[in-house]
mmCIF file of all heavy atoms in Angstrom:
data_model
loop_
_atom_site.group_PDB
_atom_site.id
_atom_site.type_symbol
_atom_site.label_atom_id
_atom_site.label_comp_id
_atom_site.label_asym_id
_atom_site.label_seq_id
_atom_site.Cartn_x
_atom_site.Cartn_y
_atom_site.Cartn_z
ATOM 1 N N ASN B 145 -11.158 11.144 -35.381
ATOM 2 C CA ASN B 145 -9.824 10.816 -35.875
ATOM 3 C C ASN B 145 -8.701 11.070 -34.875
ATOM 4 O O ASN B 145 -7.606 11.470 -35.245
ATOM 5 C CB ASN B 145 -9.520 11.596 -37.158
ATOM 6 C CG ASN B 145 -10.269 10.997 -38.320
ATOM 7 O OD1 ASN B 145 -10.417 9.771 -38.382
ATOM 8 N ND2 ASN B 145 -10.756 11.838 -39.211
ATOM 9 N N VAL B 146 -8.996 10.862 -33.580
ATOM 10 C CA VAL B 146 -7.940 10.963 -32.579
ATOM 11 C C VAL B 146 -7.154 9.647 -32.624
ATOM 12 O O VAL B 146 -7.744 8.575 -32.746
ATOM 13 C CB VAL B 146 -8.537 11.158 -31.166
ATOM 14 C CG1 VAL B 146 -7.439 11.320 -30.135
ATOM 15 C CG2 VAL B 146 -9.473 12.352 -31.157
ATOM 16 N N ALA B 147 -5.834 9.721 -32.566
ATOM 17 C CA ALA B 147 -5.027 8.491 -32.576
ATOM 18 C C ALA B 147 -5.414 7.637 -31.375
ATOM 19 O O ALA B 147 -5.607 8.167 -30.278
ATOM 20 C CB ALA B 147 -3.551 8.842 -32.520
ATOM 21 N N PRO B 148 -5.548 6.309 -31.576
ATOM 22 C CA PRO B 148 -5.989 5.434 -30.483
ATOM 23 C C PRO B 148 -5.169 5.596 -29.209
ATOM 24 O O PRO B 148 -5.715 5.605 -28.112
ATOM 25 C CB PRO B 148 -5.802 4.026 -31.064
ATOM 26 C CG PRO B 148 -5.897 4.210 -32.531
ATOM 27 C CD PRO B 148 -5.361 5.572 -32.830
ATOM 28 N N PHE B 149 -3.864 5.746 -29.371
ATOM 29 C CA PHE B 149 -2.995 5.881 -28.202
ATOM 30 C C PHE B 149 -3.413 7.099 -27.370
ATOM 31 O O PHE B 149 -3.521 7.029 -26.149
ATOM 32 C CB PHE B 149 -1.540 6.040 -28.683
ATOM 33 C CG PHE B 149 -0.524 5.949 -27.600
ATOM 34 C CD1 PHE B 149 0.106 4.743 -27.327
ATOM 35 C CD2 PHE B 149 -0.196 7.050 -26.826
ATOM 36 C CE1 PHE B 149 1.040 4.640 -26.317
ATOM 37 C CE2 PHE B 149 0.735 6.957 -25.808
ATOM 38 C CZ PHE B 149 1.358 5.754 -25.561
ATOM 39 N N ILE B 150 -3.676 8.212 -28.057
ATOM 40 C CA ILE B 150 -4.024 9.448 -27.352
ATOM 41 C C ILE B 150 -5.445 9.378 -26.788
ATOM 42 O O ILE B 150 -5.687 9.730 -25.629
ATOM 43 C CB ILE B 150 -3.928 10.664 -28.309
ATOM 44 C CG1 ILE B 150 -2.559 10.711 -28.966
ATOM 45 C CG2 ILE B 150 -4.230 11.962 -27.582
ATOM 46 C CD1 ILE B 150 -1.421 10.878 -28.017
ATOM 47 N N ALA B 151 -6.365 8.906 -27.619
ATOM 48 C CA ALA B 151 -7.764 8.856 -27.175
ATOM 49 C C ALA B 151 -7.897 8.016 -25.911
ATOM 50 O O ALA B 151 -8.511 8.431 -24.919
ATOM 51 C CB ALA B 151 -8.641 8.279 -28.283
ATOM 52 N N THR B 152 -7.278 6.829 -25.927
ATOM 53 C CA THR B 152 -7.445 5.945 -24.772
ATOM 54 C C THR B 152 -6.576 6.384 -23.601
ATOM 55 O O THR B 152 -6.868 6.072 -22.459
ATOM 56 C CB THR B 152 -7.136 4.476 -25.144
ATOM 57 O OG1 THR B 152 -5.798 4.380 -25.628
ATOM 58 C CG2 THR B 152 -8.100 3.976 -26.201
ATOM 59 N N LEU B 153 -5.517 7.131 -23.886
ATOM 60 C CA LEU B 153 -4.736 7.720 -22.788
ATOM 61 C C LEU B 153 -5.607 8.747 -22.060
ATOM 62 O O LEU B 153 -5.623 8.818 -20.834
ATOM 63 C CB LEU B 153 -3.468 8.389 -23.331
ATOM 64 C CG LEU B 153 -2.503 8.977 -22.308
ATOM 65 C CD1 LEU B 153 -1.908 7.881 -21.442
ATOM 66 C CD2 LEU B 153 -1.388 9.762 -22.995
ATOM 67 N N GLY B 154 -6.348 9.509 -22.847
ATOM 68 C CA GLY B 154 -7.269 10.481 -22.253
ATOM 69 C C GLY B 154 -8.317 9.804 -21.401
ATOM 70 O O GLY B 154 -8.554 10.200 -20.252
ATOM 71 N N THR B 155 -8.925 8.754 -21.936
ATOM 72 C CA THR B 155 -9.973 8.083 -21.154
ATOM 73 C C THR B 155 -9.369 7.321 -19.976
ATOM 74 O O THR B 155 -10.034 7.102 -18.974
ATOM 75 C CB THR B 155 -10.826 7.146 -22.021
ATOM 76 O OG1 THR B 155 -9.966 6.346 -22.814
ATOM 77 C CG2 THR B 155 -11.771 7.927 -22.908
ATOM 78 N N LEU B 156 -8.094 6.925 -20.096
ATOM 79 C CA LEU B 156 -7.414 6.319 -18.944
ATOM 80 C C LEU B 156 -7.468 7.281 -17.765
ATOM 81 O O LEU B 156 -7.868 6.909 -16.657
ATOM 82 C CB LEU B 156 -5.957 5.991 -19.309
ATOM 83 C CG LEU B 156 -4.986 5.481 -18.231
ATOM 84 C CD1 LEU B 156 -3.886 4.656 -18.904
ATOM 85 C CD2 LEU B 156 -4.335 6.548 -17.394
ATOM 86 N N TYR B 157 -7.086 8.536 -18.007
ATOM 87 C CA TYR B 157 -7.109 9.517 -16.926
ATOM 88 C C TYR B 157 -8.537 9.796 -16.459
ATOM 89 O O TYR B 157 -8.823 9.861 -15.268
ATOM 90 C CB TYR B 157 -6.457 10.820 -17.378
ATOM 91 C CG TYR B 157 -4.955 10.757 -17.414
ATOM 92 C CD1 TYR B 157 -4.254 10.926 -18.594
ATOM 93 C CD2 TYR B 157 -4.231 10.528 -16.250
ATOM 94 C CE1 TYR B 157 -2.863 10.862 -18.627
ATOM 95 C CE2 TYR B 157 -2.846 10.461 -16.279
ATOM 96 C CZ TYR B 157 -2.174 10.636 -17.467
ATOM 97 O OH TYR B 157 -0.814 10.578 -17.486
ATOM 98 N N MET B 158 -9.436 9.977 -17.442
ATOM 99 C CA MET B 158 -10.794 10.354 -17.065
ATOM 100 C C MET B 158 -11.482 9.263 -16.255
ATOM 101 O O MET B 158 -12.083 9.519 -15.216
ATOM 102 C CB MET B 158 -11.606 10.674 -18.317
ATOM 103 C CG MET B 158 -11.188 11.987 -18.945
ATOM 104 S SD MET B 158 -12.128 12.342 -20.427
ATOM 105 C CE MET B 158 -13.743 12.616 -19.733
ATOM 106 N N ALA B 159 -11.378 8.021 -16.725
ATOM 107 C CA ALA B 159 -12.044 6.930 -16.010
ATOM 108 C C ALA B 159 -11.452 6.764 -14.616
ATOM 109 O O ALA B 159 -12.163 6.541 -13.644
ATOM 110 C CB ALA B 159 -11.929 5.624 -16.798
ATOM 111 N N ARG B 160 -10.124 6.910 -14.507
ATOM 112 C CA ARG B 160 -9.504 6.797 -13.182
ATOM 113 C C ARG B 160 -9.969 7.941 -12.291
ATOM 114 O O ARG B 160 -10.255 7.754 -11.108
ATOM 115 C CB ARG B 160 -7.977 6.781 -13.315
ATOM 116 C CG ARG B 160 -7.222 6.647 -12.008
ATOM 117 C CD ARG B 160 -7.481 5.326 -11.335
ATOM 118 N NE ARG B 160 -6.929 4.214 -12.090
ATOM 119 C CZ ARG B 160 -7.311 2.958 -11.924
ATOM 120 N NH1 ARG B 160 -8.224 2.633 -11.035
ATOM 121 N NH2 ARG B 160 -6.793 2.005 -12.651
ATOM 122 N N GLY B 161 -10.057 9.119 -12.877
ATOM 123 C CA GLY B 161 -10.524 10.272 -12.113
ATOM 124 C C GLY B 161 -11.934 10.056 -11.589
ATOM 125 O O GLY B 161 -12.209 10.266 -10.405
ATOM 126 N N PHE B 162 -12.828 9.598 -12.471
ATOM 127 C CA PHE B 162 -14.198 9.344 -12.031
ATOM 128 C C PHE B 162 -14.243 8.248 -10.974
ATOM 129 O O PHE B 162 -15.033 8.297 -10.033
ATOM 130 C CB PHE B 162 -15.082 8.973 -13.224
ATOM 131 C CG PHE B 162 -15.534 10.166 -14.006
ATOM 132 C CD1 PHE B 162 -15.205 10.313 -15.342
ATOM 133 C CD2 PHE B 162 -16.283 11.167 -13.394
ATOM 134 C CE1 PHE B 162 -15.602 11.434 -16.062
ATOM 135 C CE2 PHE B 162 -16.686 12.280 -14.100
ATOM 136 C CZ PHE B 162 -16.347 12.411 -15.436
ATOM 137 N N SER B 163 -13.376 7.260 -11.144
ATOM 138 C CA SER B 163 -13.336 6.164 -10.186
ATOM 139 C C SER B 163 -12.953 6.685 -8.798
ATOM 140 O O SER B 163 -13.522 6.287 -7.782
ATOM 141 C CB SER B 163 -12.345 5.127 -10.707
ATOM 142 O OG SER B 163 -11.901 4.296 -9.699
ATOM 143 N N LEU B 164 -11.990 7.610 -8.753
ATOM 144 C CA LEU B 164 -11.585 8.199 -7.475
ATOM 145 C C LEU B 164 -12.653 9.160 -6.953
ATOM 146 O O LEU B 164 -12.900 9.248 -5.754
ATOM 147 C CB LEU B 164 -10.252 8.936 -7.635
ATOM 148 C CG LEU B 164 -9.027 8.022 -7.777
ATOM 149 C CD1 LEU B 164 -7.882 8.742 -8.457
ATOM 150 C CD2 LEU B 164 -8.585 7.506 -6.416
ATOM 151 N N LEU B 165 -13.296 9.879 -7.876
ATOM 152 C CA LEU B 165 -14.329 10.837 -7.472
ATOM 153 C C LEU B 165 -15.548 10.155 -6.866
ATOM 154 O O LEU B 165 -16.194 10.688 -5.982
ATOM 155 C CB LEU B 165 -14.799 11.637 -8.695
ATOM 156 C CG LEU B 165 -13.959 12.856 -9.086
ATOM 157 C CD1 LEU B 165 -14.417 13.379 -10.429
ATOM 158 C CD2 LEU B 165 -14.093 13.935 -8.015
ATOM 159 N N ARG B 166 -15.860 8.965 -7.379
ATOM 160 C CA ARG B 166 -17.100 8.285 -6.993
ATOM 161 C C ARG B 166 -17.287 8.254 -5.477
ATOM 162 O O ARG B 166 -18.369 8.446 -4.964
ATOM 163 C CB ARG B 166 -17.108 6.867 -7.579
ATOM 164 C CG ARG B 166 -18.309 6.033 -7.224
ATOM 165 C CD ARG B 166 -19.589 6.632 -7.796
ATOM 166 N NE ARG B 166 -20.763 5.939 -7.297
ATOM 167 C CZ ARG B 166 -21.343 6.233 -6.145
ATOM 168 N NH1 ARG B 166 -20.866 7.187 -5.383
ATOM 169 N NH2 ARG B 166 -22.409 5.575 -5.752
ATOM 170 N N ASN B 167 -16.204 7.980 -4.737
ATOM 171 C CA ASN B 167 -16.338 7.960 -3.282
ATOM 172 C C ASN B 167 -15.212 8.771 -2.647
ATOM 173 O O ASN B 167 -14.719 8.438 -1.585
ATOM 174 C CB ASN B 167 -16.344 6.521 -2.762
ATOM 175 C CG ASN B 167 -16.929 6.415 -1.369
ATOM 176 O OD1 ASN B 167 -17.617 7.318 -0.918
ATOM 177 N ND2 ASN B 167 -16.618 5.338 -0.679
ATOM 178 N N ASN B 168 -14.778 9.818 -3.369
ATOM 179 C CA ASN B 168 -13.754 10.701 -2.842
ATOM 180 C C ASN B 168 -12.460 9.989 -2.476
ATOM 181 O O ASN B 168 -11.853 10.261 -1.448
ATOM 182 C CB ASN B 168 -14.297 11.395 -1.601
ATOM 183 C CG ASN B 168 -14.246 12.882 -1.766
ATOM 184 O OD1 ASN B 168 -13.400 13.382 -2.526
ATOM 185 N ND2 ASN B 168 -15.138 13.577 -1.090
ATOM 186 N N GLY B 169 -12.063 9.044 -3.309
ATOM 187 C CA GLY B 169 -10.806 8.348 -3.067
ATOM 188 C C GLY B 169 -10.914 7.197 -2.086
ATOM 189 O O GLY B 169 -9.961 6.456 -1.896
ATOM 190 N N ALA B 170 -12.074 7.052 -1.476
ATOM 191 C CA ALA B 170 -12.200 6.002 -0.464
ATOM 192 C C ALA B 170 -12.730 4.703 -1.078
ATOM 193 O O ALA B 170 -13.246 4.683 -2.192
ATOM 194 C CB ALA B 170 -13.122 6.458 0.654
ATOM 195 N N THR B 171 -12.575 3.638 -0.320
ATOM 196 C CA THR B 171 -13.025 2.316 -0.734
ATOM 197 C C THR B 171 -14.498 2.130 -0.380
ATOM 198 O O THR B 171 -14.953 2.669 0.622
ATOM 199 C CB THR B 171 -12.193 1.263 0.028
ATOM 200 O OG1 THR B 171 -10.821 1.532 -0.209
ATOM 201 C CG2 THR B 171 -12.506 -0.136 -0.403
ATOM 202 N N PHE B 172 -15.244 1.386 -1.202
ATOM 203 C CA PHE B 172 -16.556 0.901 -0.765
ATOM 204 C C PHE B 172 -16.337 -0.444 -0.087
ATOM 205 O O PHE B 172 -16.011 -1.425 -0.759
ATOM 206 C CB PHE B 172 -17.508 0.717 -1.950
ATOM 207 C CG PHE B 172 -18.120 1.993 -2.432
ATOM 208 C CD1 PHE B 172 -17.900 2.428 -3.724
ATOM 209 C CD2 PHE B 172 -18.935 2.746 -1.601
ATOM 210 C CE1 PHE B 172 -18.468 3.609 -4.179
ATOM 211 C CE2 PHE B 172 -19.508 3.931 -2.059
ATOM 212 C CZ PHE B 172 -19.275 4.357 -3.340
ATOM 213 N N PRO B 173 -16.489 -0.502 1.229
ATOM 214 C CA PRO B 173 -16.159 -1.747 1.921
ATOM 215 C C PRO B 173 -17.330 -2.729 1.968
ATOM 216 O O PRO B 173 -18.481 -2.349 1.715
ATOM 217 C CB PRO B 173 -15.816 -1.267 3.331
ATOM 218 C CG PRO B 173 -16.664 -0.057 3.531
ATOM 219 C CD PRO B 173 -16.863 0.564 2.167
ATOM 220 N N ASN B 174 -16.999 -3.964 2.269
ATOM 221 C CA ASN B 174 -17.990 -4.945 2.712
ATOM 222 C C ASN B 174 -19.208 -5.048 1.793
ATOM 223 O O ASN B 174 -20.340 -4.826 2.213
ATOM 224 C CB ASN B 174 -18.449 -4.549 4.125
ATOM 225 C CG ASN B 174 -18.891 -5.759 4.901
ATOM 226 O OD1 ASN B 174 -18.598 -6.885 4.514
ATOM 227 N ND2 ASN B 174 -19.616 -5.537 5.972
ATOM 228 N N LEU B 175 -18.995 -5.403 0.522
ATOM 229 C CA LEU B 175 -20.070 -5.401 -0.473
ATOM 230 C C LEU B 175 -20.938 -6.656 -0.390
ATOM 231 O O LEU B 175 -21.074 -7.382 -1.371
ATOM 232 C CB LEU B 175 -19.473 -5.283 -1.880
ATOM 233 C CG LEU B 175 -18.538 -4.099 -2.109
ATOM 234 C CD1 LEU B 175 -17.928 -4.157 -3.488
ATOM 235 C CD2 LEU B 175 -19.292 -2.801 -1.918
ATOM 236 N N ILE B 176 -21.497 -6.920 0.772
ATOM 237 C CA ILE B 176 -22.294 -8.133 0.884
ATOM 238 C C ILE B 176 -23.778 -7.872 0.665
ATOM 239 O O ILE B 176 -24.566 -8.792 0.560
ATOM 240 C CB ILE B 176 -22.093 -8.842 2.250
ATOM 241 C CG1 ILE B 176 -22.244 -7.840 3.395
ATOM 242 C CG2 ILE B 176 -20.723 -9.504 2.306
ATOM 243 C CD1 ILE B 176 -22.145 -8.468 4.757
ATOM 244 N N GLY B 177 -24.159 -6.603 0.563
ATOM 245 C CA GLY B 177 -25.563 -6.279 0.344
ATOM 246 C C GLY B 177 -26.395 -6.516 1.593
ATOM 247 O O GLY B 177 -25.877 -6.940 2.625
#
Side-chain angles (χ1 to χ4, degrees):
Chain B
N145 285 323
V146 182
F149 190 95
I150 306 298
T152 59
L153 184 65
T155 47
L156 174 154
Y157 283 118
M158 288 179 68
R160 181 65 67 199
F162 280 119
S163 160
L164 287 158
L165 276 170
R166 178 64 188 85
N167 199 18
N168 238 334
T171 305
F172 281 119
N174 208 15
L175 306 175
I176 49 176

